[in-house]
Amino acid sequence: MKRILLTGFDPFGGEQSNPSWEVVRRLDGLLIGDSHQIVSARLPCEFVNSLLILDVALRQHQPAIVICLGQAGGRADISLERIAINVDDARMSDNAGAQPVDVPVVSGGPAAYFSSLPIKAIAQELHLSGIPASISQTAGTFVCNHVFYGLMHMASSMDSIQRAGFIHIPYLPEQAVAHTGAASMPLEMLKTAVLKVLESVLKTDKDLRIAGGATH
Amino acid sequence: MKRILLTGFDPFGGEQSNPSWEVVRRLDGLLIGDSHQIVSARLPCEFVNSLLILDVALRQHQPAIVICLGQAGGRADISLERIAINVDDARMSDNAGAQPVDVPVVSGGPAAYFSSLPIKAIAQELHLSGIPASISQTAGTFVCNHVFYGLMHMASSMDSIQRAGFIHIPYLPEQAVAHTGAASMPLEMLKTAVLKVLESVLKTDKDLRIAGGATH
Amino acid sequence: MKRILLTGFDPFGGEQSNPSWEVVRRLDGLLIGDSHQIVSARLPCEFVNSLLILDVALRQHQPAIVICLGQAGGRADISLERIAINVDDARMSDNAGAQPVDVPVVSGGPAAYFSSLPIKAIAQELHLSGIPASISQTAGTFVCNHVFYGLMHMASSMDSIQRAGFIHIPYLPEQAVAHTGAASMPLEMLKTAVLKVLESVLKTDKDLRIAGGATH
Amino acid sequence: MKRILLTGFDPFGGEQSNPSWEVVRRLDGLLIGDSHQIVSARLPCEFVNSLLILDVALRQHQPAIVICLGQAGGRADISLERIAINVDDARMSDNAGAQPVDVPVVSGGPAAYFSSLPIKAIAQELHLSGIPASISQTAGTFVCNHVFYGLMHMASSMDSIQRAGFIHIPYLPEQAVAHTGAASMPLEMLKTAVLKVLESVLKTDKDLRIAGGATH
């Protein structure tokens, strides 16, 4: 049985919950087809510790597929991140009080890593399931991008990992209540979305070529 | 048994469905408590015929409560309209090909009507249920505002109507798929929201005073 | 010589300046053609005192035309307000510490007043001058709408006033510096815009019928 | 005399002008201090030819500093791009009819290049001058990012180039007239902004560390 590692984050920025952990914890242990099983891990919203814990989880579970999820408060759809960049630039402190500015995630690492998820095929799969989704050209420069970059860096030297990437998800509706006018997505739809993502990852050898870019 | 009239619209603007009709048609006939029953009516997205059909429904069902619903593509929450204004100003044609510009809804009518729904109490009820909602200061100048104004004008001379108003709702997720980055709300949540709205209307005598305005 | 009364507001919400007063104070005393002269007045950003001072200015100057201006932080263009509504609903305190919620501007007054400025002709004039402008369907429910409603209410009983209305303008660039990503308009362009507005008001007898509405 | 190469683009996407070319052509030949002179070049909005022409300009002028500018319709401020990524993914055709999807800018090139402009010092300089500006984490995946990546790739093997990067600028006001509600910046302010950028580049040895990131 191959492992699929899903990670979600602790709440941050004054929130009581984080939709990324709420969704992945409900999928922990689930079998996908007869060949893969989900393992869910919780990451702190901290620059340093998030990657230490991700590293432990990667070594422990030796997953074939890794998808880290994070909250993108204000975005309205499933946001398939294209690229992780080698910089931390925090506008607020992480949960440990750290606020790195213009520091590389990995000193001496490449400027960026592209996701190895088939993001265009995933977007199409989600659309066919009636779930709003789009390609994102930036995962920001906070802990989400940090984890995404760190994941891709570690994955680049772990042959067991076939696919790895990062997905941002909207607020839960109960969070959006406190942010007037903010978009949200219910937990049930998020769960369905993640399962559709995995279905697409498992059945896609070569990603589709469908336009999903941004003019600027 | 008192009647609650809910109305939804036909699709417009190239959409295949309209969330307002999708939700209210699923509530048709439902009993609310042991005193009220929902009647659902479908309005064409046409300036002239929408009000003719609403007028027939009001006379036929003699409702105690009337809530018209409409799609607000791009808005992210349940949008409780505060006021209907006496002007049609259409940026696109309605479904009958009409595009009135700067014409009153009712010639000689007052400049505006306020909703008689307890919109602040409703917002609070929705928030407590984990459903994003906010007060809107404008229902636009297209068919939605036209129906809202027409409803309030007719209600002003029908003693049987105790509460009347208009609520805008977001795209359904399957619609948002075609509008990259647009917010949406699933049908189940919309149904729950409308039921919570009715619950709040029935139990509220005097609206709450909770800030819900806009700076501009 | 007929008078044109322009008003601007004090800074509020933590700002150091208010573009509305910055622009109108620079136009004070200016002759428009050989028949009209501008008088500029500064209003406090306070529910009660703003209308007291506006009332004094109207009696003192007996203007033929009155345009009140206000800051709409975040809007990107010259925002020609269509309608003032009879409600105060403040999300924050005014400069005197008052925060009215769901209180009428004028008890017993009509639900709303439409602007008597030729807003469509003005929009066209500004566009031809290369200045972004649009019709706004709501002036909010804070002090700006309060002054707009109060102005139209007073004007309704003053025969000397031929045209009256309200215009929202963006942040100045130096204000937008503190609001990452916010739109702005430089003072010179704002001055040009106000002069174009007046030119349009003076030459327009009957407003144009050009679509300028909102779908919702 | 050292050269500063500034580039702007042809209009695209149905526009009649491109603010990037409008501003840089007005600065062509200008002396900056007594050591540098601006040379301005116009690039076609075409994936293939833009880099061919940039390559010629780099060889011809041997600039010490290169800043490419492009239009970001809808953005409100001077947008200092942090990173160029090695992918073209066009949602619309370029001016030559090409629409590459998920093709690298430079086959075998690194995933990304960071700007070598002191973007934080520039942002501070602009803010002190009252000009809205911010750091952008993505230049998109259209011709602007293509040119930015190509520039950084060429610069990486040209020792004469000390600083290179890309800046997105808003619509001109006369363009924004056709895009209701879109932000804009007048040409005079854009010129001042570019001169302030150059002033900052010339006087900054080591970039400042000021937070300028994005949470997602």
Side-chain angles (χ1 to χ4, degrees), chain C residues 1-189:
Chain C
M1 188 70 66
K2 294 182 179 175
R3 298 297 176 97
I4 297 170
L5 177 64
L6 299 180
T7 72
F9 280 106
D10 280 346
F12 69 100
E15 299 292 328
Q16 298 302 307
S17 63
N18 189 313
S20 63
W21 175 240
E22 293 308 312
V23 65
V24 306
R25 75 180 178 88
R26 283 172 173 81
L27 300 174
D28 189 26
L30 200 71
L31 296 175
I32 305 293
D34 49 7
S35 60
H36 288 75
Q37 186 172 26
I38 293 174
V39 180
S40 299
R42 178 174 180 160
L43 304 181
C45 188
E46 303 175 14
F47 283 96
V48 172
N49 287 321
S50 56
L51 285 183
L52 295 180
I53 291 176
L54 178 61
D55 184 48
V56 168
L58 291 177
R59 292 172 193 277
Q60 179 182 347
H61 301 299
Q62 298 286 322
I65 296 164
V66 188
I67 304 180
C68 297
L69 290 98
Q71 165 192 305
R75 290 197 196 165
D77 61 4
I78 302 294
S79 190
L80 306 160
E81 296 296 346
R82 187 194 289 267
I83 192 163
I85 66 175
N86 193 14
V87 69
D88 293 333
D89 186 359
R91 282 187 179 269
M92 59 178 178
S93 297
D94 70 9
N95 286 358
Q99 190 186 358
V101 171
D102 293 347
V103 176
V105 181
V106 175
S107 192
Y113 285 104
F114 284 100
S115 174
S116 60
L117 299 177
I119 55 176
K120 300 296 180 71
I122 293 171
Q124 189 186 60
E125 180 79 29
L126 291 169
H127 289 175
L128 292 173
S129 306
I131 300 175
S134 61
I135 308 304
S136 166
Q137 326 302 330
T138 173
T141 59
F142 195 56
V143 182
C144 287
N145 173 74
H146 181 86
V147 161
F148 182 15
Y149 185 93
L151 164 65
M152 300 312 296
H153 190 70
M154 294 188 266
S156 71
S157 61
M158 294 180 75
D159 290 345
S160 57
I161 297 179
Q162 294 157 13
R163 298 282 200 181
F166 195 97
I167 295 177
H168 266 119
I169 58 178
Y171 283 135
L172 294 170
E174 54 267 36
Q175 290 180 282
V177 161
H179 302 276
T180 306
S184 62
M185 199 173 273
L187 195 53
E188 276 308 306
M189 178 167 278

Side-chain angles (χ1 to χ4, degrees), chain B residues 63-206:
Chain B
I65 297 164
V66 189
I67 304 180
C68 297
L69 290 98
Q71 165 192 304
R75 290 197 196 165
D77 61 5
I78 303 294
S79 189
L80 305 161
E81 295 296 346
R82 188 195 289 268
I83 193 163
I85 66 175
N86 192 15
V87 69
D88 293 333
D89 186 359
R91 282 187 179 268
M92 59 180 178
S93 297
D94 70 9
N95 286 358
Q99 191 187 357
V101 171
D102 293 346
V103 176
V105 180
V106 174
S107 193
Y113 284 104
F114 284 100
S115 175
S116 60
L117 300 177
I119 55 176
K120 299 297 180 71
I122 294 171
Q124 188 187 59
E125 180 79 30
L126 292 169
H127 289 176
L128 292 173
S129 306
I131 301 175
S134 61
I135 309 303
S136 165
Q137 326 302 331
T138 173
T141 59
F142 195 55
V143 182
C144 286
N145 174 73
H146 181 86
V147 162
F148 183 14
Y149 186 93
L151 164 64
M152 301 312 296
H153 191 70
M154 293 188 267
S156 71
S157 60
M158 294 180 75
D159 290 344
S160 56
I161 297 178
Q162 293 157 12
R163 298 281 201 183
F166 195 97
I167 296 178
H168 265 118
I169 58 179
Y171 283 135
L172 294 171
E174 54 268 36
Q175 291 180 282
V177 160
H179 302 276
T180 305
S184 61
M185 199 173 272
L187 193 54
E188 277 308 307
M189 178 166 280
L190 290 171
K191 278 171 59 183
T192 304
V194 173
L195 293 175
K196 287 289 173 187
V197 166
L198 295 179
E199 190 180 309
S200 175
V201 170
L202 290 178
K203 77 181 180 196
T204 306
D205 282 329
K206 186 170 160 47

Side-chain angles (χ1 to χ4, degrees), chain B residues 55-73:
Chain B
D55 184 48
V56 168
L58 292 176
R59 292 172 194 277
Q60 179 182 347
H61 301 299
Q62 298 286 324
I65 297 164
V66 189
I67 304 180
C68 297
L69 290 98
Q71 165 192 304

